[in-house]
Every structure is written in structure tokens, then in C-alpha cells.
Amino acid sequence: MKAKYIDGVQLRKMILQGKNSLEANKSTVDSLNVFPVPDGDTGTNMSLTMGAAAREVQNIKGGTVEDIAEAAANGSLMGARGNSGVILSQLFRGFAKGCKGKEKLSIMDLAVALKGASDTAYKAVMKPIEGTILTVAREIGEKAVEISKREESIESFLETIIAHAERVLDKTPDMLKVLKQAGVVDAGGKGLIFIIKGFYEAITGKETVIESVDVIQPIVHDSIMENEEITFGYCTEFIIKGKNIHIDNFKMAIGDYGDCMLVVGDENMAKVHIHTNNPGEVIEKGLRLGELINIKIDNMRYQHQNRIFESKMPQDEPVDLKEYGMIAVTMGKGLTDIFKDLNVDEIITGGQTMNPSTEDIKNAIDHIAAKNIFVFPNNSNIIMAANQAKELSEKNIIVIPTKTVPQGIAAVLAFNADESSEVNTQAMMGAMKNVKTGQVTYSVRDTQFNDIEIKKDDILGMQDGEIKQVGSDIDEVSFELLENMITEDTEMVTIFYGEDVSVEKAQELANKISEVRDDIDIEVYFGGQPLYYYIFSIE
């Protein structure tokens, strides 16, 4: 019998199967990254966001469609990662509005909710771009309303919507030039279609089960101890999904980084738990083996201090707030140390391939007792999540939209504790705009970009996100990129070398540039960043 209504039980199944469908196909979505660099994470970000929505939904026993939709909206809001994840969370938010006050959805109700999802997502984006997930979502909403009066079942309704969405997706390269240049369709739109297909599978009884791995619960220490007794302060947990994972080798690789270590699993999936003072380094070692999911880092010293503070402090006694606090997102021990040396309060481990969630950023905000908090995302794919965390906080949060680490460092250096937040914001925005960023990485696939032929494993030199140099030698591409970025007005070049580059190689590059331009200052620092051999800051 064909379904004419969706109740809470059915909507719950739809969302869970939407998550399963995307999880099973996220590598396909990841592969649609416009640039052939190793940061194709749209599918991963959307999948993690869907996972957060699904976990909230699973906590609902029974419930109306309003209850289920609201749970999915709340879960996706806090779990949103990357721009695609934030947009997906806004789609769920709009969908939930359409389910308000309803125990079940008719075809017309479902159409209105899908249209509301699109409307809400469009309003959340300052400058909507056509040819993206927003376009696919809008077309789904409009088509849903158009056909809602003539469709007689939920099954046929969803079939029509999916077919229309796929036609729209095929046209996205005609709407967005970069998609056509790269020869791909929009990744976010593709991910959204996989979710809708999951909805259809749930309605038609074709649900699949994606084996999930429970996150290891943190070890709780009940006894009261001083911070000095907590030798390793960060409880670090994550799951590695890869191929040919050697559990014993990985244990040896991270064994010296802490205690309470637990690594279990098989060659395709491993659960990791360790108490360490260097969570970033442990995570980077995990990245070498495969994809990371369910990443969780808890500052045990902070939690301990907070418990003692709360137990000793009268509830009505005010907490002294300092004037300013700062949060930065980065990866690599060297870059982390640099931001710490610049008095940044909270460092969130993340960046390419590992975008922190809205909740991660919100937690960092909550950890800082300050009236004004500056957030430096240092990645264009984290800015929306940072702004979403800002909306959830009662503190005065200022997101400085830094897209690269050099921009973030320049902005932090422009900070003046004696000035107002408005003056500091203006100074930081100006400082980040005066920095050019270079990055040297490698290609993950064959492609063509701006008439440049690129082969898998080619070395790529990028200036402010655009591919400028392609070659087979790291040293040659790095030198050519730097040489072309330096102008007559250049006064300083800073070289941050990654985990796969030696200090000798980095210094050789600096010396070679000095021979060409002996009138500029060149500084070399260990960044320790994965994936990128070099990051250059040109001022």
C-alpha cells in the first residue's frame, strides 16, 4: 500500500537512512572537490553533520514529526562541519519549522517543509551562489510544491523530486564556471541527493545498515587531584577508517605521546583513545593511515579545575571576566605553538580535511572567561561554522574571517589589548588583507584547471587559493611560487614548513630566495602541518 502520510516513526527512519545513504557514498561526494588538492571533504563534512542529526533523532523514543524534525535540526546545528554542513543544518532548521505543530505530514505538508528548508538556507548565506547545494535545495522545494497536489503517494512524490534534482545537478557546471573547468558537478548538491534517496529508501522499505562504531567513553577520574598530578592533560579519541591499518605499529607510533592508551579494531577501522599533551600530533599520525571520524578532545585539567571551582565557588558569586580572549583553528605542532606564543587562549585542532563542528567552536568559546572573544577560523570552510557558534553564544563574539594561517597570524599580531573591540576588529581586518598566502601541496587526481593539465601526484603551488604552479619537484615548484609572489613592495617572507619537510630543505629554499632578493627579511618556522609541504606568508 502506497504511503500518503509520514508519521514520527517513519520520519525517524527517513533521517537515519538519509545518514546511511550519504555515509555509504561520501567518498563519491568528496571526489567532486573542485580543486585536486587533498582537502576534498564535502561528503565527509555532510556525513558527520548527518551523523550528529541522527544521534539526536535516535534519542527520541516515539515522538511526532515535530519532535523528530526538531531533534534533527538541533543535532545538525551543533554537529555542523564545513560550509556544506552548516548549510545542511540550516536546511534541517527550515524543515523543522514546516513540521511545527504536526503529528504527521501529508504530501502537501512535506512539500511545504522542503520549500521552507530551502528558504531558510538561502537566508543563512550572505551571498548565495547558484550552481551549489542551495540551487539543488531550492529546485527540490519548488518542484515539491508544484507536484504536491497531483502526486498520490509519498513514494511517487519522492521519485519525481529525485529525478528533477539529478537533472538540476547535471546543469550545475553551466551555472558555476569553476565546476565546468574542473569537470565536476556540485559536491554539496550531490550529497543532498544521496540524503533524499535515503528518505526514499526508508519509505520503500529498502533500508540499509551501515555498521557504526561507538565512540570510546572518556575515562573518568573520580578522585580529587591537583593539576600537577594530571601528567597528560588531553583525553583524545577518534576513529580511523582506512585500509591496511597496522594496529600494533600505530600503538608503537603514539605510545610515547601519553598514557591510558587504547587502540582496538582491524585493518579497516581502529578506535583510538589516549591521554596526551599533544593531541594534534597524535591526530596527524592517525591521518596518515586514513580518514578520521568522531574526533573528540577534552582538556582534563580544565574540567578538573572547573569541577573544583564550581564546588568551592558560591553560585551567586560573580566570575571576573578579562576584556579579551582569542580562539584559533590550526593543525601542526609548530603552528599551534606559534598561536600559543601569541597568547591565543584556545587552539582548535582542525583545518583541511578536518573541519571543527559548530559545537567544537562553541565549547572553545565557553572555556574562555572574557567579555569579547575573537575567533580566527583560518580556513574558508570553517567561517560559517564559526558564525553559527557566534549566534549560539551570549558573549560578544567577533569572527575575523581569516581564510589562511598567515592571515590569522597577521590578524593576531594586529591585536592591541588597550584598544576597543571595534578598533581591534578594524585593525585585524586590515592586517589580514595585507597578507598574501602561498601553499605547496600535491594533486589527488588527474584534472584540468584554467587550461593547466594536472596529473595525480603532481606538486601544486597555490597563491591565495588559486593554482599557479604545477610540477614534479617540491623544491622547484616552491621556489617558482615564491619568486612569482614576491614583488617590489614585498618586505617580508615567512616560510612555515610542514611535517614532511626537513629544516635543511626549508633553509635551502630561504637561502635561494635571498640570492634573488637580498633586500627582504626571510624567516623560517616549523609549522608541522600535514598535507601542505609549505605555507608562505608574503607581506
Side-chain angles (χ1 to χ4, degrees):
M1 184 175 177
K2 299 293 185 180
K4 294 184 180 296
Y5 293 93
I6 295 171
D7 60 14
V9 172
Q10 193 63 61
L11 183 58
R12 184 177 186 271
K13 290 181 179 179
M14 289 167 65
I15 291 171
L16 295 181
Q17 183 57 20
K19 185 268 292 184
N20 288 346
S21 175
L22 182 58
E23 174 70 19
N25 294 281
K26 66 182 177 183
S27 60
T28 298
V29 179
D30 282 342
S31 69
L32 297 175
N33 186 34
V34 169
F35 292 106
V37 296
D39 63 352
D41 50 12
T42 299
T44 299
N45 283 336
M46 292 182 72
S47 180
L48 289 170
T49 304
M50 277 299 294
R55 283 192 293 275
E56 286 296 315
V57 165
Q58 285 178 312
N59 290 331
I60 301 292
K61 304 303 179 186
T64 64
V65 293
E66 178 184 7
D67 299 326
I68 299 299
E70 187 66 28
N74 291 338
S76 62
L77 174 70
M78 298 306 292
R81 294 174 187 267
N83 295 342
S84 57
V86 172
I87 291 173
L88 181 57
S89 73
Q90 292 300 314
L91 289 171
F92 271 115
R93 180 181 167 213
F95 186 86
K97 289 178 182 177
C99 297
K100 211 75 172 172
K102 298 186 182 298
E103 292 189 5
K104 61 182 182 179
L105 299 178
S106 65
I107 294 174
M108 178 65 78
D109 292 332
L110 180 56
V112 171
L114 290 171
K115 180 66 167 59
S118 166
D119 292 344
T120 299
Y122 261 88
K123 290 176 183 177
V125 178
M126 187 173 296
K127 294 181 180 179
I129 298 174
E130 295 303 326
T132 65
I133 183 176
L134 290 172
T135 302
V136 177
R138 189 194 72 239
E139 290 281 350
I140 286 174
E142 292 176 352
K143 191 67 174 180
V145 172
E146 177 193 330
I147 66 174
S148 59
K149 291 182 180 179
R150 64 173 183 264
E151 292 292 345
E152 297 184 354
S153 71
I154 301 292
E155 291 93 331
S156 61
F157 174 79
L158 290 175
E159 285 173 358
T160 303
I161 284 176
I162 291 168
H164 179 68
E166 288 181 328
R167 288 193 294 271
V168 173
L169 181 69
D170 288 340
K171 295 177 182 178
T172 54
D174 297 324
M175 305 177 201
L176 205 52
K177 185 179 178 181
V178 292
L179 295 177
K180 184 176 284 291
Q181 288 177 333
V184 297
V185 295
D186 179 66
K190 185 74 170 178
L192 181 58
I193 290 174
F194 280 127
I195 293 171
I196 302 296
K197 284 183 175 180
F199 291 178
Y200 176 77
E201 290 166 354
I203 290 291
T204 56
K206 299 176 183 177
E207 297 161 85
T208 57
V209 178
I210 303 296
E211 184 176 349
S212 61
V213 180
D214 293 332
V215 179
I216 302 169
Q217 293 301 314
I219 297 173
V220 179
H221 301 278
D222 293 326
S223 58
I224 300 297
M225 65 179 80
E226 295 300 324
N227 270 344
E228 287 75 15
E229 294 182 42
I230 303 178
T231 306
F232 299 100
Y234 295 91
C235 178
T236 304
E237 305 168 359
F238 54 89
I239 295 170
I240 307 172
K241 295 182 71 175
K243 295 180 180 179
N244 300 318
I245 299 172
H246 296 286
I247 300 292
D248 291 337
N249 290 349
F250 186 70
K251 285 181 179 178
M252 292 177 62
I254 68 170
D256 291 336
Y257 281 86
D259 62 11
C260 297
M261 181 183 70
L262 178 64
V263 182
V264 296
D266 56 29
E267 62 180 9
N268 297 315
M269 183 175 292
K271 296 186 291 185
V272 181
H273 172 279
I274 188 172
H275 292 176
T276 178
N277 288 328
N278 304 101
E281 293 187 40
V282 174
I283 285 171
E284 286 166 23
K285 288 185 181 296
L287 276 170
R288 298 176 189 176
L289 301 182
E291 179 185 13
L292 303 190
I293 60 174
N294 294 348
I295 300 166
K296 187 172 184 288
I297 302 173
D298 289 321
N299 185 331
M300 295 186 296
R301 294 190 183 99
Y302 173 84
Q303 291 175 331
H304 172 67
Q305 283 181 322
N306 205 38
R307 284 196 297 268
I308 294 176
F309 176 81
E310 289 176 347
S311 66
K312 294 181 177 180
M313 181 71 73
Q315 292 297 311
D316 58 350
E317 187 169 331
V319 177
D320 289 335
L321 299 179
K322 62 180 181 178
E323 193 65 27
Y324 292 111
M326 291 189 280
I327 298 168
V329 182
T330 194
M331 289 182 73
K333 184 181 186 306
L335 294 176
T336 296
D337 289 344
I338 289 170
F339 278 109
K340 286 180 179 177
D341 289 343
L342 294 174
N343 295 318
V344 172
D345 299 86
E346 291 281 331
I347 311 294
I348 301 174
T349 299
Q352 303 291 48
T353 75
M354 196 173 73
N355 300 149
S357 67
T358 299
E359 186 173 20
D360 293 332
I361 300 171
K362 174 66 163 55
N363 287 340
I365 289 170
D366 292 342
H367 286 176
I368 301 175
K371 299 175 185 176
N372 307 283
I373 299 176
F374 293 100
V375 181
F376 307 95
N378 299 333
N379 186 298
S380 60
N381 208 32
I382 301 174
I383 294 173
M384 287 185 72
N387 280 316
Q388 194 151 268
K390 169 185 175 179
E391 297 301 319
L392 295 171
S393 177
E394 296 179 358
K395 298 177 182 178
N396 181 35
I397 309 301
I398 305 103
V399 177
I400 305 298
T402 52
K403 296 181 178 180
T404 66
V405 165
Q407 286 185 351
I409 292 174
V412 173
L413 286 170
F415 171 72
N416 186 338
D418 295 326
E419 295 288 357
S420 67
S421 60
E422 292 79 13
V423 170
N424 270 308
T425 298
Q426 187 174 1
M428 289 174 174
M429 295 289 284
M432 61 173 272
K433 291 176 182 177
N434 289 330
V435 175
K436 291 188 291 185
T437 299
Q439 296 168 309
V440 181
T441 184
Y442 58 92
S443 171
V444 295
R445 70 170 189 269
D446 294 349
T447 189
Q448 182 171 325
F449 185 79
N450 282 344
D451 298 325
I452 302 174
E453 289 288 340
I454 299 173
K455 299 295 183 183
K456 185 177 182 297
D457 297 325
D458 275 350
I459 305 302
L460 307 178
M462 304 175 67
Q463 178 178 335
D464 294 320
E466 186 173 347
I467 299 171
K468 293 293 187 179
Q469 265 74 38
V470 178
S472 59
D473 185 83
I474 297 172
D475 298 333
E476 290 179 4
V477 170
S478 301
F479 177 75
E480 290 172 5
L481 177 65
L482 261 181
E483 189 177 35
N484 290 332
M485 291 181 68
I486 294 172
T487 66
E488 292 181 358
D489 297 327
T490 299
E491 297 178 353
M492 172 174 274
V493 172
T494 306
I495 298 172
F496 302 98
Y497 61 96
E499 64 177 3
D500 295 322
V501 177
S502 67
V503 62
E504 291 80 13
K505 280 290 185 182
Q507 195 58 57
E508 283 179 19
L509 177 61
N511 294 339
K512 196 172 179 181
I513 291 296
S514 293
E515 293 174 3
V516 178
R517 286 288 301 273
D518 59 3
D519 60 326
I520 60 177
D521 293 326
I522 302 177
E523 296 183 353
V524 178
Y525 293 99
F526 171 63
Q529 68 275 4
L531 306 178
Y532 287 80
Y533 303 111
Y534 290 107
I535 296 175
F536 303 135
S537 176
I538 315 294
E539 302 176 69

